[in-house]
Amino acid sequence: ISDLIGCAKGRFVAIECKKDAGPVTPLQQNFLTHVVENGGAGFIVRFVGKAITMSEWATGTTHTVISTKEAAEWLLSHACSSTSRTQLI
């Protein structure tokens, strides 16, 4: 199970949080893939210094911000609009 799970506008969302370049384990990859294949949204969020980099699991789309407010807004907008196509990044 990912670090954060929830529901955004009726869609299941899983967020895996990593510090710096910490690896995503095969178990975490499988969970995110399963979430996306079943219509949910999966993300990896990396905290590097003051920057927050978010990656959408299904598309590989990434975005880097400084504030947690910007991060939350990006995640919410992408959780509600991302596709269910699976692509490992």
Side-chain angles (χ1 to χ4, degrees), residues 3 16-29 32 44-46 57 89:
D3 296 311
E16 187 61 44
C17 299
K18 294 292 178 188
K19 183 178 178 193
D20 297 323
V24 179
T25 68
L27 183 61
Q28 293 165 335
Q29 291 176 9
L32 290 171
I44 298 173
V45 176
R46 294 188 183 278
W57 189 251
I89 56 174

Side-chain angles (χ1 to χ4, degrees), residues 7-39:
C7 186
K9 297 187 179 181
R11 190 167 192 201
F12 185 85
V13 179
I15 302 172
E16 187 61 44
C17 299
K18 294 292 178 188
K19 183 178 178 193
D20 297 323
V24 179
T25 68
L27 183 61
Q28 293 165 335
Q29 291 176 9
N30 288 339
F31 182 77
L32 290 171
T33 298
H34 183 72
V35 166
V36 171
E37 286 176 342
N38 287 283

Side-chain angles (χ1 to χ4, degrees), residues 17 22 24 26-27 39 52 61 64 71-72 75 84:
C17 299
V24 179
L27 183 61
I52 304 167
T61 301
T64 301
L75 287 167
S84 61

Side-chain angles (χ1 to χ4, degrees), residues 1 16-17 20 22 25-26 28-29 32 36 41 45 49-51 53-54 56 59 63 65 68 80 83-85 89:
I1 292 185
E16 187 61 44
C17 299
D20 297 323
T25 68
Q28 293 165 335
Q29 291 176 9
L32 290 171
V36 171
V45 176
K50 292 184 177 182
T53 300
M54 297 146 302
E56 188 172 359
T59 65
H63 186 68
V65 297
T68 54
C80 297
T83 66
S84 61
R85 183 174 61 86
I89 56 174

